[in-house]
Amino acid sequence: MSEPISGKSLHGHLDTMVLAVLDKSEAHGFEVWKRLEAQAKGGLKLKEGSLYPALYRLETAGLLTARKEEDDSSRRGPRRRIYKITRKGKRRLDQGRQEWQHFVSVVECVIGAPA
Amino acid sequence: MSEPISGKSLHGHLDTMVLAVLDKSEAHGFEVWKRLEAQAKGGLKLKEGSLYPALYRLETAGLLTARKEEDDSSRRGPRRRIYKITRKGKRRLDQGRQEWQHFVSVVECVIGAPA
DNA sequence: TAATCTATTTAGTCTGTCTAAATAATAGCT
DNA sequence: AGCTATTATTTAGACAGACTAAATAGATTA
């Protein structure tokens, strides 16, 4: 098996991935992280130091909104921030998916497409 | 049409692309650049400030060797540096191709594979 | 001689991911 | 009460790689 994806190769595609998981339903940061790990079937190793800045970046860009979760005394830890994709975020997701496909086709022109 | 690829999305994949074009035959930097542009069919906009540092990086990593071109007074400009892929570079290219495919499959797990 | 073409080099910036640790708040145990 | 484990977020600082932009080089052509 290959190494999990991380680092430089993710550059610029993480935002689209985050938007994609939040497009299914709203979620707090830690759950976004778990969804990413789960959907990538162990192929992804993402650090908090990458995810939370990405969420912040998307929020300030108006692609996500965030609200504090209402108090739930059946769970531990600090109040979670629930992120929800905006209409602008959905448009950006579409665009990101197109860019992704374009990116893949261009790189494969050069390095040689898989069989 | 999509925008040409540049910037962050290239991160970490440029090295593999450069190795791929040099795997066909040796070439000087400017020709590497032209081959990349040609093979990407206009889908790539690469700057000298990205290519030459990449060549330097690959050379110091032992993936390429470089030699000064012999004098050819039928052309203008300074002596060109001819780059040639090494055995180590070829191995790295294979590895880069595998990493690329893994990367693509992981990202598509998350953002939704194309049809 | 100036302009143009081919080619390379390099100084400095920016962005995004990383490492690493601190902080928050509660549950469950002794 | 105090300790530890769990869940979750935040943040400081390092680092890599692509960027902008311009300087430099040498030969040809006008």
Side-chain angles (χ1 to χ4, degrees):
Chain A
M1 270 295 284
S2 321
E3 284 296 297
I5 297 297
S6 71
K8 55 190 182 173
S9 62
L10 268 183
H11 236 85
H13 303 294
L14 178 57
D15 289 8
T16 303
M17 294 169 81
V18 169
L19 290 172
V21 308
L22 283 171
D23 193 40
K24 302 187 175 159
S25 63
E26 57 179 19
H28 51 90
F30 198 64
E31 196 187 332
V32 169
W33 183 71
K34 286 187 289 184
R35 285 190 197 174
L36 285 170
E37 299 275 323
Q39 259 179 67
K41 293 159 194 155
L44 185 65
K45 240 51 199 170
L46 195 62
K47 303 307 161 61
E48 310 94 300
S50 310
L51 178 60
Y52 289 103
L55 289 168
Y56 177 79
R57 193 163 63 231
L58 292 168
E59 187 187 349
T60 58
L63 307 174
L64 303 177
T65 52
R67 61 179 170 81
K68 280 281 182 194
E69 188 181 42
E70 55 276 13
D71 203 9
D72 172 1
S73 59
S74 79
R75 43 162 301 283
R76 308 170 193 196
R79 289 293 189 77
R80 299 183 289 200
R81 306 193 71 207
I82 312 287
Y83 294 95
K84 185 175 180 176
I85 193 168
T86 62
R87 255 174 303 171
K88 189 173 173 189
K90 282 174 186 278
R91 285 197 299 274
R92 180 64 187 74
L93 172 57
D94 283 345
Q95 188 196 330
R97 285 187 165 125
Q98 281 182 252
E99 281 170 5
W100 167 254
Q101 291 195 40
H102 180 239
F103 168 63
V104 169
S105 72
V106 167
V107 173
E108 290 186 349
C109 275
V110 176
I111 72 168
Chain B
M1 270 295 285
S2 320
E3 284 295 296
I5 296 298
S6 71
K8 54 191 183 173
S9 60
L10 270 182
H11 237 83
H13 303 294
L14 179 57
D15 288 9
T16 303
M17 293 169 83
V18 169
L19 289 172
V21 307
L22 284 171
D23 192 41
K24 300 185 177 161
S25 64
E26 56 179 19
H28 51 90
F30 199 63
E31 196 188 331
V32 168
W33 183 72
K34 286 187 288 183
R35 284 191 197 174
L36 285 170
E37 300 276 322
Q39 258 178 68
K41 291 158 193 154
L44 186 64
K45 242 44 198 173
L46 196 61
K47 303 307 162 61
E48 309 94 301
S50 309
L51 178 61
Y52 288 104
L55 290 167
Y56 176 79
R57 192 162 65 231
L58 292 168
E59 187 188 348
T60 59
L63 306 174
L64 303 177
T65 51
R67 62 178 169 81
K68 281 282 182 194
E69 188 181 44
E70 55 276 16
D71 203 10
D72 172 2
S73 59
S74 79
R75 43 161 301 283
R76 309 173 193 194
R79 291 292 188 79
R80 300 183 287 200
R81 305 193 73 208
I82 312 288
Y83 294 95
K84 185 175 179 176
I85 193 169
T86 62
R87 256 174 301 172
K88 190 174 173 189
K90 282 173 185 280
R91 286 196 300 273
R92 180 63 186 74
L93 172 57
D94 283 346
Q95 188 195 332
R97 285 186 165 125
Q98 281 182 252
E99 281 170 6
W100 166 254
Q101 291 195 39
H102 180 239
F103 168 64
V104 169
S105 71
V106 167
V107 173
E108 290 185 349
C109 275
V110 176
I111 72 169

